[in-house]
Amino acid sequence: MTSPATDATARSPQATSLPALELGGLTKVFVVGRGGKKVTAVNNVSLHIGRGEVLALVGESGSGKSTIARLIAHLHEPSSGSMKLSGQVVPNNLRGAALTKFRKHVQMIFQDPYGSLNGLNTIGYILSRPLVIHGIARGKDIPAQVNTLLERVGLAPGATWAAKKPHELSGGQRQRVVIARALAARPELILADEPTSALDVSIRLDIMNLLLDLKDQEGLSMLFITHDLAGARYMADRVSVMYTGYIVEIGPSDQVIDAPQHPYTQLLRSAAPKPDEAMRPERVEARGEVPDLSNLPPGCPFEPRCPQARAACREGLPRMYDVGPGHQARCILHDPALAQQPLLHPERAPTV
Amino acid sequence: MNYLLRKFGLLLFTLWIAATLNFILPRLVPGDPVGAMMAKYQGQLTPAAADALRVAYGLNDQGSMSHQYFIYLGKLLRGDFGLSISQFPTPVIDVIALAAPWTIGLIGVTTIISFLLGSGLGLYSAWKRGSPLADWMPPVALFLNSMPYFWFALLLLYLFALKSSVFPLSGNLDPFIGEAWTAKWWSSMLRHAALPALTIIVTAAGGWLITMRNNVMGVMGEDYLAFARAKGLSEGRIVNRYVLKNALLPSLTSFGMALGFVVGGSILVETVFSYPGLGFYLYSAVAAVDYPLMQAIFLIIAAAVLIANFIVDMLYAVLDPRVRDGK
Amino acid sequence: MTAIPIARLTPLAWLRAGPLGVIWRSPRATTGAVIILLIAVLALLAPLISSYDPSSGAFTPWIKPGVGHLLGTTALGQDIFTQMLYGARLTLLIGIASGLISTAIGTALGLTAAYYGGRTGEVINTVTNIFLVLPGLPLLIIVSAFLRGGGVWAIILVISLTGWAWGARVLRSQALTLRNRDFIHAAVSTGESPARIIFKEMLPNLAGIIAANFFGTALYAVLSEAALSFIGIGDVSKVTWGTMLYWAQAKNALLQGAWWWVGAPGLGIAVLGMAFAFLNFGVDEISNPRSNHAGKATRVLRRKSVPKVVDAAGLPLMSIQHLDAGYVTPSGPVRAVRDVSLDVAPGEFLGLAGESGCGKSTLAFAATRLLDAPGAVFGGEARLAGQDLLSLTPEELRRTRWKDYSLVFQASMNILNPVIKVREQVYDAMQAHGVHDKTKLEARARELFELVGIRPDYLDAFPHQLSGGMKQRVVIAIALALEPKLVVMDEPTTALDVVVQRQILQEIDQVRRRLGISIIFITHDLSLLVEMSDRIAIMYAGEVVEEAPAQQIYTAPKHPYTQRLMTAFPPLSGARERREGIPGRPPSLAQEIVGCPFYERCAVHLPGTCDVKKPANVEVEPGHRVACFLQSPAVKPAVYQEEHDLASD
């Protein structure tokens, strides 16, 4: 068997046409508390997702990865920046009918299948709503369509499952319903916000495989948000790593994960569990924790924790450097001149 | 401090709303309030009193509504509430000055006692859940809390003042008691206050019991309690430092908010015992259609409750480190 | 904890019985409902029960309660019993109507404030707060005084307008929580209209709170009406229980000794009010179930007595033998841990892994006597250095726990007491076990903080000033305070980010090696466990199905479940190939399981064997135990081979 992700891209017929999604300088500033303190959760994010492509967004909590999905889904209004869906500009302040129409094209899958289904409604009702709202089925057609949806996500026979309420289902089954709901509107883009992290290990792969299969069958594009590098590697064609609202590295997933070019991605990789090596030899130099978003350092946001920090890191946000084909990293180490500067914290450097 | 400034802002704003309400209400009433009073007194109202009334309402003022309003606010700030009709020509402020200390003393002290007593019993009832005594407390508390204050006051009056003269029937002091703060004065004062106080404590404590019980049960589900228990802390320490400290915080919030209700109920107790406080005068003012007095007493009670609320907010800030840090 | 699947159902369960079902689940609410229904029936049937007219003064005044007049007569010669019957009508009407109106206002404003938030929310919030703090009754009195003569509906209106604020506040905070639930986000991103989201998605989920609020405001309305009538505001010519009190007071009933005239209506109000309060209290209690960590020690329900202490020589540090534990539920016991035997050697790091609901946390909490009710131990032994923890009295347990063994709980926001300083929470663990010297406490606390990698000046911080990772370090420091021989860790890093998780795991690994303590580490994250552990036990449906040294269980798992688990997570390196999860779900622990619990999901099961009897737990290699017929010498290896070929086709 070949890699599920790369295999899919190769098969996708429209890989070269207009990207499914393009974000240009997307920014979201939240005002928190009564003091009017401002927090920039997403900072000038530009990226694109090709047709039939899976882009993974990787980061720790507070990195802004979920906020991006909510901005794309228009659950929050972006503070600035632009967004194009299949080449068409989507205004930031969509309202009313235009917004409903837009929602048909972009659907979300949430993290916690216990929280994302209203416990009082039947599965059938939950799945009928997107069909009705977006005019996909009417009247007597609805139950048949609902059954088809359920069977497509592996819940057969559909009629039996449609009559149940969420509490009668296991976590994995609920997540299948959530996926079916997202598919119901026949969207082009799926935003999957940590769809497996609330599930048991034994069923995570099933859900990931289901998503990959559906993506292939429907020609969907997908934003896959996760904190798990291995999961990103399994699912995605490309990976974007986020830290404190910035993209710090983006590129093909085997390059970003197997040979990370940003010290933060390197840290994430070394921190991930690796059952094939006993942990004793490798000692991760991970100092401190993610800084307070309302009080970021002036330069590179990772500088305070970075073992490789140079003086230049404190002089403003580094730009994105090309580090390989379609692979960029926001780190001055890729500027040959600046990389010559002495280390700010030689004691943090890995002792090899 | 940010938190307290905000609370103080709300205090001022609410006071202003109450004052404005006071200004609007008589103007909303169909017809002329002075006319209504004239009718009520059927000619017993002297022309001087009627004039005073008009002055009190600014009805003699031919200026615009906003002009009247600012005159009214200005008078309020100077403590000028006009003249009382029922005790004409005593200024309303004098009536209040005479009555307020008794009310603040009686209701202030009893509210605090009933809060402490009720919270203590509520803590016991939640912590010892499953024991017969603890499980009987909530229904009894709910019953006591559902009794009309004044009705329980009547019962006490009947049993302890009428049937047996353990306590005096009415008033705040024996007549001709002489100088204040003497032993004789204290004994008379306390005997007069006993029944009203008992009424308020018994009826209000039930509410605090239920509130505290709910809060304690909330804390009993918290992770830090499971951790404290695992650490092997003694029962006393868990209750004092973990349960009580955390459960008191939401209780304080409820205390602030329920204060208005409790004080409202308590003032009726004064009327039953003819205890010459604000509640008693409010009752007399209603009976005598003495609008100026009625409204002034409302404002004073509102102000007192709001200030008490603000004190509770300050206490909260002292007890909760998260509030101090503005979280 | 393993109890979650059960707890998760409770808030939803009442809805299966319809919206009124909530009342019948609480005996107290049922009492309240019955009282109100009774009063309502008596009020409606008043003409049938009494032939008198409530207002005609046809009788002798001041008759004592007796046969002719059940509750006596008034000063005006009216029959009090008849007045009570008819008075109940208006009293109930005022209570219920005001309750409905103010609940409607409160619900509408609370929901609007929560749904729209922003400026609209702030304005509503401020208005609500103002109405909350303004003293209700005095406001009622002056408003009513000006609206004198408006009749019953004016009273209802005034009471409603002053009584809605509490409900609005409660509704708003509940709806705000609801607003941030994912199913609301899902409805929004599906394209549902705001009206439909509010009425179809949010409102039904708030039914319990709204009901509780209605009963609360009805109580307020009944008491307010009584108070207003008592001071003569409102229409005293109408008969309500409140106006009856007014007339009793006006005619000096008590001075005349007519206690019944005062007693009856007041008691009526108190009982009606109590009924509303019972409903409010009962509905609230059912809609917001609360867990309870206040029990002293896990109940031990085993039958035969076991020796309290046995000779520790030659025994492992911790020895769990045939432990049976679970939950006592109304529909019978749930056996979450089934006949589990497990040993921990001194200095050993034992990993305990399995899916959620497999009983791993129940096992750890039961063995350490920390399982909260309704949890209980049904049988077996748990010995620490020869001493049976299950036989200890609560006081003995209190002294043993933390000194001989300690626990690290799952990282959570509220794992530390938010209102006292970290220092006190480190100290009190030591003080509870006899360390009282201030300098010793200080020195030890600093030492512990350095051990787990936090600056000692954080001792003077409050928990909210610490990040999640730092809190968890504090918890670990506290667990190490008395140098226990064993630390049980229940998913200590699950809620944390990968980098912080790795930092903490490194600290744990260093500390346990330096101090030579044993650790039982519970997690569902196998890849992490393989890296950390000396030995791993895999649990499935309450049983330990395989137990082996970590590297061995990773490279050569024997149980089909373990085999599937080991490939059920995507790898970080190596070929990117498709992998499969484990289809199906574990069997319910509420039932008896015949045969192997993994039978249903197992691709290589042997029908006629695995589903008929339990596989024995056999040692296939030194230190490697498996409960599977395919590893049992009794079953032919050929069968296994054949099945295996079939499965991999």
Side-chain angles (χ1 to χ4, degrees), chain A residues 30-105:
Chain A
F30 286 111
V31 179
V32 289
R34 288 165 195 263
K37 195 163 76 165
K38 283 182 179 171
V39 162
T40 309
V42 172
N43 214 326
N44 199 18
V45 164
S46 302
L47 53 80
H48 71 272
I49 304 176
R51 220 161 263 280
E53 185 184 48
V54 179
L55 173 74
L57 218 48
V58 180
E60 294 176 275
S61 47
S63 64
K65 57 189 194 301
S66 290
T67 310
I68 291 190
R70 279 157 201 244
L71 290 178
I72 299 172
H74 278 70
L75 287 175
H76 300 311
E77 192 175 304
S79 307
S80 63
S82 69
M83 175 173 152
K84 279 188 203 166
L85 199 66
S86 300
Q88 294 216 310
V89 174
V90 181
N92 286 343
N93 56 350
L94 269 184
R95 295 271 189 281
L99 180 60
T100 310
K101 210 175 152 200
F102 162 80
R103 296 205 189 283
K104 183 192 173 318
H105 302 288

Side-chain angles (χ1 to χ4, degrees), chain B residues 211-223:
Chain B
T211 310
M212 188 63 175
R213 185 175 186 274
N214 282 343
N215 295 338
V216 170
M217 301 220 322
V219 171
M220 277 157 71
E222 293 284 0
D223 292 337

